[in-house]
Amino acid sequence: MDRSRRNFLGLGAAAVGTATLQPATVEAREARHGGDAAHRWAMVVDLRKCVGCQACTMACIMENRVPEDSFRTIVSTYEVAENGKSATYMLPRLCNHCENPPCTPVCPTGATYQRQDGIVVVDNSVCVGCGYCVQACPYDARFINHETLTADKCNFCVHRVDAGLLPACVETCVGGARIFGDLNDPESTVSKLVASEDVKVLKPGEGTDPRVFYIGLEAEFQGRVDGTPTLWRPSRAKAEPSLV
């Protein structure tokens, strides 16, 4: 089924010494592998429609209670020279939910794992904040949440997906640049875009087989994941009390 912006699916730790960590058993890992294997959720980001408004960033922060100065998703902006003039290039970034995620095999407790529907999640009830997964991610998509002291990242708003809703960033994208859907459904918008458009992924040489695809991604930006939001940054400073 399609998960375009207007078509919903009707589905209903402080770090410790690594020497003390014991790998999770296969049974323990499999017990947490939720999701329906019939689906393979993915996102297409159409850069031709992204205006850098950061509505996706703010929606993610509010939906997932992301702590200050951390981001599960953000639109990085680059200043580029084009025909002798300055221009701005927008690059929305988030966890790529790789088919072959490098973050999962390095997790000593099995806190980071891939669901049967392809979504890579973090079980922060067993995460010890060792940071191995943060270092293993080639996309700079993970961070240690300074409030929970556990690994954090985009999870496609899995709580919404499981309830038949769109990820918050897709729901609020004013330009319709983010499209979410099921790659296993040939009639979904995501499947049709991947089949018909010249889609690219970030860092294809890593062999991770990302499930976040880009339309209009320039080759020189495929390896760039370190852009900074030069035009905008959220501020959560409390308003000064009025003296009036």
Coordinates of all heavy atoms in Angstrom, one line a residue, residues 92-173:
P92 N 18.7 17.0 3.1 CA 18.0 16.4 4.3 C 18.8 15.1 4.6 O 19.2 14.3 3.8 CB 16.6 16.0 3.8 CG 16.4 17.0 2.6 CD 17.7 17.1 1.9
R93 N 19.0 14.9 5.9 CA 19.8 13.8 6.4 C 19.0 13.1 7.6 O 18.4 13.8 8.4 CB 21.2 14.2 6.9 CG 22.1 14.8 5.8 CD 23.3 15.5 6.4 NE 23.9 14.7 7.5 CZ 24.6 15.2 8.4 NH1 24.8 16.5 8.5 NH2 25.2 14.4 9.4
L94 N 19.2 11.8 7.6 CA 18.6 11.0 8.7 C 19.2 9.6 8.6 O 20.0 9.3 7.8 CB 17.0 10.9 8.5 CG 16.5 10.2 7.2 CD1 15.1 9.6 7.5 CD2 16.5 11.1 6.0
C95 N 18.8 8.7 9.5 CA 19.3 7.3 9.5 C 18.8 6.7 8.1 O 17.7 6.9 7.7 CB 18.7 6.5 10.6 SG 19.1 4.7 10.5
N96 N 19.7 6.0 7.5 CA 19.4 5.4 6.2 C 18.7 4.1 6.3 O 18.4 3.5 5.2 CB 20.7 5.3 5.4 CG 21.2 6.7 4.8 OD1 20.9 7.0 3.6 ND2 21.8 7.5 5.6
H97 N 18.6 3.5 7.5 CA 17.9 2.2 7.6 C 18.4 1.2 6.6 O 17.7 0.6 5.8 CB 16.4 2.4 7.6 CG 15.9 3.2 8.7 ND1 15.6 2.7 9.9 CD2 15.6 4.6 8.8 CE1 15.2 3.7 10.7 NE2 15.2 4.8 10.1
C98 N 19.7 1.1 6.7 CA 20.4 0.3 5.7 C 20.0 -1.2 5.6 O 19.6 -1.8 6.7 CB 21.9 0.3 6.0 SG 22.6 1.9 6.1
E99 N 20.0 -1.8 4.5 CA 19.7 -3.2 4.4 C 20.8 -4.0 5.1 O 20.6 -5.1 5.6 CB 19.7 -3.6 2.9 CG 19.1 -5.0 2.6 CD 17.6 -5.1 2.9 OE1 16.9 -4.1 3.1 OE2 17.2 -6.3 3.1
N100 N 22.0 -3.5 5.0 CA 23.2 -4.1 5.7 C 23.8 -3.1 6.7 O 24.8 -2.5 6.5 CB 24.3 -4.5 4.7 CG 23.7 -5.5 3.6 OD1 23.2 -6.5 4.0 ND2 23.9 -5.1 2.4
P101 N 23.1 -2.9 7.8 CA 23.5 -1.8 8.7 C 24.8 -2.2 9.5 O 24.8 -3.2 10.1 CB 22.3 -1.7 9.7 CG 21.7 -3.1 9.6 CD 21.8 -3.6 8.2
P102 N 25.8 -1.3 9.4 CA 27.0 -1.6 10.1 C 27.0 -1.3 11.6 O 27.9 -1.7 12.3 CB 28.0 -0.6 9.4 CG 27.2 0.5 9.0 CD 25.9 -0.1 8.6
C103 N 25.9 -0.7 12.0 CA 25.7 -0.4 13.5 C 25.3 -1.6 14.3 O 25.5 -1.7 15.5 CB 24.7 0.7 13.6 SG 23.1 0.4 12.8
T104 N 24.6 -2.6 13.7 CA 24.1 -3.7 14.4 C 25.1 -4.7 14.9 O 25.0 -5.2 16.0 CB 22.9 -4.4 13.6 OG1 23.5 -4.9 12.4 CG2 21.8 -3.5 13.4
P105 N 26.1 -5.1 14.1 CA 27.0 -6.2 14.5 C 28.0 -5.7 15.6 O 28.5 -6.5 16.3 CB 27.8 -6.6 13.2 CG 27.6 -5.4 12.3 CD 26.3 -4.8 12.6
V106 N 28.2 -4.4 15.7 CA 29.1 -3.9 16.7 C 28.5 -3.7 18.1 O 29.2 -3.4 19.1 CB 29.8 -2.6 16.3 CG1 30.5 -2.8 14.9 CG2 28.8 -1.4 16.1
C107 N 27.1 -3.7 18.2 CA 26.5 -3.5 19.4 C 26.7 -4.7 20.3 O 26.2 -5.8 20.0 CB 25.0 -3.3 19.2 SG 24.0 -3.0 20.7
P108 N 27.3 -4.5 21.5 CA 27.6 -5.6 22.4 C 26.4 -6.2 23.1 O 26.5 -7.3 23.7 CB 28.6 -5.1 23.3 CG 28.3 -3.6 23.4 CD 27.8 -3.2 22.0
T109 N 25.3 -5.5 23.2 CA 24.2 -5.9 23.9 C 23.0 -6.3 23.1 O 21.9 -6.8 23.6 CB 23.7 -4.9 25.0 OG1 23.2 -3.7 24.3 CG2 24.9 -4.5 25.9
G110 N 23.1 -6.0 21.8 CA 21.9 -6.3 20.9 C 20.9 -5.2 21.0 O 19.8 -5.4 20.5
A111 N 21.2 -4.0 21.6 CA 20.3 -3.0 21.7 C 19.9 -2.4 20.3 O 18.8 -2.0 20.1 CB 20.8 -1.8 22.6
T112 N 20.8 -2.4 19.4 CA 20.6 -1.9 18.1 C 20.3 -3.1 17.2 O 21.2 -4.0 17.1 CB 21.8 -1.1 17.5 OG1 21.9 0.2 18.2 CG2 21.6 -0.8 16.0
Y113 N 19.2 -3.1 16.6 CA 18.8 -4.3 15.7 C 17.9 -3.8 14.6 O 17.3 -2.7 14.6 CB 18.2 -5.4 16.5 CG 16.8 -5.0 17.2 CD1 15.6 -5.3 16.5 CD2 16.8 -4.4 18.4 CE1 14.4 -5.0 17.1 CE2 15.6 -4.0 19.0 CZ 14.4 -4.3 18.3 OH 13.2 -4.0 18.9
Q114 N 17.8 -4.7 13.6 CA 16.9 -4.4 12.5 C 15.6 -5.2 12.6 O 15.7 -6.5 12.7 CB 17.6 -4.8 11.2 CG 16.9 -4.4 9.9 CD 17.7 -4.8 8.6 OE1 18.2 -5.9 8.5 NE2 17.8 -3.9 7.7
R115 N 14.5 -4.5 12.5 CA 13.2 -5.2 12.5 C 13.0 -6.0 11.2 O 13.7 -5.8 10.2 CB 12.1 -4.2 12.7 CG 12.1 -3.5 14.0 CD 11.0 -2.6 14.3 NE 9.9 -2.4 13.3 CZ 8.6 -2.2 13.6 NH1 8.3 -2.1 14.9 NH2 7.8 -2.0 12.6
Q116 N 12.0 -6.9 11.2 CA 11.7 -7.7 10.1 C 11.3 -6.9 8.9 O 11.4 -7.3 7.7 CB 10.7 -8.7 10.4 CG 11.1 -9.8 11.4 CD 10.1 -10.8 11.7 OE1 9.8 -11.7 10.9 NE2 9.5 -10.7 12.9
D117 N 10.8 -5.6 9.1 CA 10.4 -4.8 8.0 C 11.5 -3.8 7.6 O 11.2 -2.9 6.8 CB 9.1 -4.0 8.4 CG 9.3 -3.2 9.7 OD1 10.4 -3.0 10.2 OD2 8.3 -2.8 10.3
G118 N 12.7 -4.0 8.1 CA 13.8 -3.3 7.7 C 14.2 -2.0 8.5 O 15.3 -1.5 8.3
I119 N 13.3 -1.6 9.4 CA 13.6 -0.4 10.2 C 14.6 -0.8 11.3 O 14.5 -1.8 12.0 CB 12.3 0.1 10.9 CG1 11.3 0.5 9.8 CG2 12.6 1.2 11.8 CD1 9.9 0.9 10.4
V120 N 15.6 0.0 11.4 CA 16.7 -0.2 12.4 C 16.3 0.6 13.6 O 16.1 1.9 13.5 CB 18.1 0.2 11.8 CG1 19.1 0.0 12.9 CG2 18.4 -0.6 10.6
V121 N 16.3 0.0 14.7 CA 15.8 0.7 16.0 C 16.8 0.5 17.1 O 17.8 -0.4 17.0 CB 14.4 0.2 16.4 CG1 13.4 0.5 15.4 CG2 14.5 -1.3 16.7
V122 N 16.6 1.2 18.1 CA 17.5 1.1 19.3 C 16.6 0.8 20.5 O 15.6 1.5 20.8 CB 18.3 2.4 19.6 CG1 19.1 2.2 20.9 CG2 19.1 2.8 18.4
D123 N 16.9 -0.3 21.2 CA 16.2 -0.6 22.4 C 17.0 0.0 23.6 O 17.9 -0.6 24.1 CB 16.1 -2.2 22.6 CG 15.3 -2.6 23.9 OD1 15.0 -1.7 24.7 OD2 15.1 -3.8 24.0
N124 N 16.5 1.2 24.0 CA 17.4 1.8 25.0 C 17.2 1.3 26.4 O 17.9 1.7 27.4 CB 17.1 3.3 25.1 CG 15.6 3.7 25.4 OD1 14.9 2.8 25.9 ND2 15.2 4.9 25.1
S125 N 16.4 0.2 26.6 CA 16.3 -0.5 27.9 C 17.5 -1.4 28.1 O 17.8 -1.8 29.2 CB 15.0 -1.3 28.0 OG 15.0 -2.4 27.1
V126 N 18.2 -1.7 27.0 CA 19.4 -2.6 27.1 C 20.7 -1.9 26.6 O 21.8 -2.4 26.7 CB 19.2 -3.9 26.5 CG1 18.1 -4.7 27.2 CG2 18.9 -3.8 25.0
C127 N 20.5 -0.7 26.0 CA 21.7 0.1 25.5 C 22.5 0.6 26.7 O 21.9 1.1 27.7 CB 21.2 1.2 24.6 SG 22.5 2.3 24.0
V128 N 23.8 0.5 26.6 CA 24.7 0.9 27.7 C 25.4 2.2 27.3 O 26.3 2.7 28.0 CB 25.6 -0.2 28.1 CG1 24.9 -1.3 28.7 CG2 26.5 -0.6 26.9
G129 N 25.1 2.8 26.1 CA 25.8 4.0 25.7 C 27.2 3.9 25.4 O 28.0 4.9 25.6
C130 N 27.7 2.7 25.0 CA 29.1 2.6 24.7 C 29.6 3.4 23.5 O 30.8 3.7 23.4 CB 29.4 1.1 24.5 SG 28.7 0.3 23.1
G131 N 28.7 3.7 22.6 CA 29.0 4.5 21.4 C 29.6 3.8 20.3 O 29.9 4.4 19.3
Y132 N 29.7 2.4 20.3 CA 30.2 1.7 19.2 C 29.4 1.9 17.9 O 29.9 2.0 16.9 CB 30.2 0.2 19.6 CG 31.3 -0.2 20.5 CD1 31.4 -1.6 20.9 CD2 32.2 0.7 21.0 CE1 32.4 -2.0 21.8 CE2 33.2 0.3 21.9 CZ 33.3 -1.0 22.3 OH 34.3 -1.4 23.2
C133 N 28.1 1.9 18.1 CA 27.2 2.1 16.9 C 27.4 3.5 16.3 O 27.3 3.7 15.1 CB 25.8 1.8 17.3 SG 25.1 2.9 18.5
V134 N 27.6 4.5 17.2 CA 27.8 5.9 16.7 C 29.0 5.9 15.8 O 29.0 6.6 14.8 CB 27.9 6.8 17.9 CG1 28.2 8.2 17.4 CG2 26.6 6.8 18.7
Q135 N 30.1 5.3 16.3 CA 31.3 5.3 15.5 C 31.2 4.4 14.2 O 31.8 4.8 13.2 CB 32.4 4.7 16.4 CG 32.7 5.6 17.6 CD 33.8 4.9 18.5 OE1 34.9 4.6 18.0 NE2 33.5 4.8 19.8
A136 N 30.4 3.4 14.2 CA 30.3 2.5 13.1 C 29.4 3.1 12.0 O 29.6 2.7 10.8 CB 29.7 1.2 13.5
C137 N 28.5 4.0 12.3 CA 27.7 4.6 11.3 C 28.4 5.5 10.4 O 29.0 6.5 10.8 CB 26.5 5.4 11.9 SG 25.4 6.2 10.7
P138 N 28.5 5.3 9.0 CA 29.2 6.1 8.1 C 28.5 7.4 7.7 O 29.0 8.2 7.0 CB 29.4 5.2 6.9 CG 28.3 4.3 6.9 CD 27.9 4.1 8.4
Y139 N 27.2 7.5 8.2 CA 26.4 8.6 7.8 C 26.2 9.7 8.9 O 25.4 10.6 8.8 CB 25.0 8.1 7.4 CG 25.1 7.1 6.3 CD1 25.0 5.7 6.6 CD2 25.4 7.4 5.0 CE1 25.1 4.8 5.6 CE2 25.5 6.5 4.0 CZ 25.4 5.2 4.3 OH 25.5 4.2 3.3
D140 N 26.9 9.5 10.0 CA 26.8 10.5 11.1 C 25.4 10.7 11.5 O 24.9 11.8 11.8 CB 27.4 11.8 10.7 CG 27.7 12.8 11.9 OD1 27.8 12.3 13.0 OD2 27.6 14.0 11.7
A141 N 24.6 9.6 11.6 CA 23.2 9.6 11.8 C 22.8 9.3 13.3 O 21.7 9.3 13.6 CB 22.5 8.7 10.9
R142 N 23.8 8.9 14.1 CA 23.6 8.5 15.5 C 24.3 9.4 16.4 O 25.3 10.1 16.1 CB 24.1 7.1 15.7 CG 23.3 6.0 15.0 CD 24.0 4.7 15.1 NE 23.1 3.6 14.8 CZ 22.4 2.9 15.7 NH1 22.5 3.1 17.0 NH2 21.5 1.9 15.3
F143 N 23.7 9.5 17.7 CA 24.3 10.2 18.7 C 24.0 9.6 20.1 O 23.1 8.8 20.1 CB 23.9 11.7 18.7 CG 22.4 11.9 18.8 CD1 21.8 12.1 20.1 CD2 21.5 11.7 17.7 CE1 20.4 12.3 20.2 CE2 20.1 11.9 17.9 CZ 19.6 12.2 19.1
I144 N 24.7 10.0 21.1 CA 24.4 9.6 22.4 C 23.5 10.6 23.0 O 23.9 11.8 23.2 CB 25.6 9.4 23.3 CG1 26.5 8.2 22.7 CG2 25.2 9.0 24.7 CD1 25.8 6.9 22.7
N145 N 22.3 10.3 23.4 CA 21.3 11.2 24.0 C 21.8 11.6 25.4 O 22.0 10.7 26.2 CB 20.0 10.5 24.0 CG 18.8 11.4 24.5 OD1 19.0 12.0 25.5 ND2 17.7 11.3 23.8
H146 N 22.1 12.8 25.6 CA 22.7 13.3 26.8 C 21.7 13.3 28.0 O 22.0 13.5 29.1 CB 23.3 14.6 26.7 CG 22.4 15.8 26.3 ND1 21.5 16.3 27.2 CD2 22.3 16.4 25.1 CE1 20.8 17.3 26.5 NE2 21.3 17.4 25.3
E147 N 20.4 13.0 27.7 CA 19.4 12.9 28.7 C 19.2 11.4 29.2 O 19.1 11.1 30.3 CB 18.1 13.5 28.3 CG 18.1 15.0 28.1 CD 16.8 15.6 27.7 OE1 15.9 14.8 27.4 OE2 16.7 16.8 27.6
T148 N 19.2 10.5 28.2 CA 19.0 9.1 28.5 C 20.3 8.4 28.6 O 20.3 7.2 29.1 CB 18.1 8.4 27.4 OG1 18.9 8.5 26.1 CG2 16.8 9.1 27.2
L149 N 21.4 9.0 28.1 CA 22.7 8.3 28.1 C 22.7 7.1 27.3 O 23.5 6.1 27.5 CB 23.2 8.1 29.5 CG 23.3 9.3 30.4 CD1 23.9 8.9 31.8 CD2 24.2 10.4 29.7
T150 N 21.9 7.0 26.3 CA 21.8 5.8 25.4 C 21.9 6.3 23.9 O 21.7 7.5 23.6 CB 20.5 5.0 25.6 OG1 19.4 5.8 25.4 CG2 20.5 4.4 27.0
A151 N 22.1 5.4 23.0 CA 22.2 5.7 21.6 C 20.8 6.2 21.1 O 19.8 5.7 21.5 CB 22.7 4.5 20.8
D152 N 20.8 7.1 20.2 CA 19.6 7.7 19.7 C 19.8 7.9 18.2 O 20.9 8.1 17.7 CB 19.3 9.0 20.4 CG 17.8 9.3 20.3 OD1 17.1 8.8 19.5 OD2 17.4 10.2 21.2
K153 N 18.6 7.9 17.4 CA 18.7 8.2 16.0 C 17.3 8.2 15.5 O 16.3 7.8 16.2 CB 19.5 7.1 15.3 CG 18.8 5.7 15.3 CD 19.6 4.8 14.4 CE 18.7 3.5 14.1 NZ 17.6 3.8 13.3
C154 N 17.1 8.5 14.2 CA 15.8 8.3 13.5 C 15.4 6.9 13.5 O 16.2 6.0 13.2 CB 15.9 8.9 12.1 SG 14.7 8.3 10.9
N155 N 14.2 6.6 13.7 CA 13.6 5.2 13.6 C 12.4 5.2 12.7 O 11.5 4.3 12.9 CB 13.3 4.6 15.0 CG 12.3 5.4 15.8 OD1 11.7 6.3 15.2 ND2 12.1 5.0 17.0
F156 N 12.3 6.2 11.8 CA 11.1 6.3 10.9 C 9.9 6.5 11.7 O 8.8 6.1 11.3 CB 11.0 5.1 10.0 CG 11.8 5.1 8.7 CD1 12.0 3.9 8.0 CD2 12.3 6.3 8.2 CE1 12.8 3.9 6.9 CE2 13.1 6.3 7.1 CZ 13.3 5.1 6.4
C157 N 10.0 7.0 13.0 CA 8.8 7.2 13.8 C 8.1 5.9 13.9 O 6.9 5.8 13.6 CB 7.9 8.3 13.4 SG 8.5 10.0 13.7
V158 N 8.8 4.8 14.3 CA 8.2 3.5 14.2 C 6.9 3.3 15.0 O 6.1 2.5 14.6 CB 9.3 2.5 14.8 CG1 9.5 2.6 16.2 CG2 8.9 1.0 14.4
H159 N 6.8 4.1 16.1 CA 5.5 4.1 16.8 C 4.3 4.6 16.0 O 3.2 4.1 16.1 CB 5.6 4.9 18.1 CG 5.9 6.3 17.9 ND1 7.2 6.8 17.4 CD2 5.2 7.5 18.0 CE1 7.2 8.1 17.3 NE2 6.0 8.5 17.6
R160 N 4.6 5.5 15.1 CA 3.6 6.0 14.2 C 3.3 5.0 13.0 O 2.2 4.7 12.7 CB 4.0 7.3 13.6 CG 4.0 8.5 14.6 CD 4.5 9.8 14.0 NE 3.6 10.2 12.9 CZ 2.5 11.0 13.0 NH1 2.2 11.4 14.2 NH2 1.8 11.3 11.9
V161 N 4.4 4.4 12.5 CA 4.3 3.5 11.4 C 3.5 2.3 11.9 O 2.6 1.8 11.1 CB 5.7 3.0 10.9 CG1 5.6 1.9 9.9 CG2 6.4 4.2 10.3
D162 N 3.8 1.8 13.1 CA 3.0 0.6 13.6 C 1.5 0.9 13.8 O 0.7 0.0 13.9 CB 3.6 0.1 14.9 CG 5.0 -0.6 14.6 OD1 5.2 -1.0 13.5 OD2 5.7 -0.8 15.6
A163 N 1.2 2.2 14.0 CA -0.2 2.6 14.2 C -0.8 3.0 12.9 O -2.0 3.5 12.8 CB -0.2 3.8 15.2
G164 N -0.1 2.8 11.7 CA -0.7 3.1 10.4 C -0.5 4.6 10.0 O -1.3 5.1 9.2
L165 N 0.4 5.3 10.7 CA 0.6 6.7 10.4 C 1.9 7.0 9.7 O 2.8 6.1 9.7 CB 0.6 7.6 11.7 CG -0.7 7.4 12.5 CD1 -0.5 8.2 13.9 CD2 -1.9 8.0 11.8
L166 N 2.1 8.1 9.1 CA 3.3 8.5 8.5 C 4.3 9.0 9.5 O 4.0 9.5 10.6 CB 3.1 9.6 7.5 CG 2.2 9.3 6.3 CD1 1.8 10.6 5.5 CD2 3.0 8.4 5.3
P167 N 5.6 8.9 9.2 CA 6.6 9.5 10.1 C 6.3 11.0 10.2 O 5.8 11.6 9.2 CB 7.9 9.2 9.3 CG 7.7 8.0 8.6 CD 6.2 8.1 8.1
A168 N 6.7 11.6 11.3 CA 6.3 13.0 11.5 C 6.9 13.9 10.5 O 6.3 14.9 10.0 CB 6.8 13.4 12.9
C169 N 8.2 13.6 10.1 CA 8.8 14.5 9.1 C 8.1 14.5 7.7 O 8.1 15.5 7.0 CB 10.3 14.1 8.9 SG 10.6 12.4 8.3
V170 N 7.6 13.3 7.4 CA 6.9 13.2 6.1 C 5.5 13.9 6.2 O 5.1 14.6 5.3 CB 6.6 11.7 5.8 CG1 5.8 11.5 4.5 CG2 8.0 11.0 5.6
E171 N 4.9 13.8 7.3 CA 3.6 14.4 7.5 C 3.7 15.9 7.4 O 2.7 16.6 7.0 CB 3.0 14.0 8.9 CG 1.7 14.6 9.2 CD 0.6 13.9 8.4 OE1 0.7 12.8 8.0 OE2 -0.4 14.6 8.1
T172 N 4.8 16.5 7.8 CA 4.9 18.0 7.9 C 5.7 18.6 6.8 O 5.8 19.8 6.8 CB 5.5 18.4 9.3 OG1 6.8 17.7 9.4 CG2 4.7 17.9 10.4
C173 N 6.2 17.8 5.9 CA 7.0 18.4 4.8 C 6.1 19.2 3.9 O 5.3 18.7 3.2 CB 7.7 17.2 4.0 SG 8.7 17.8 2.6

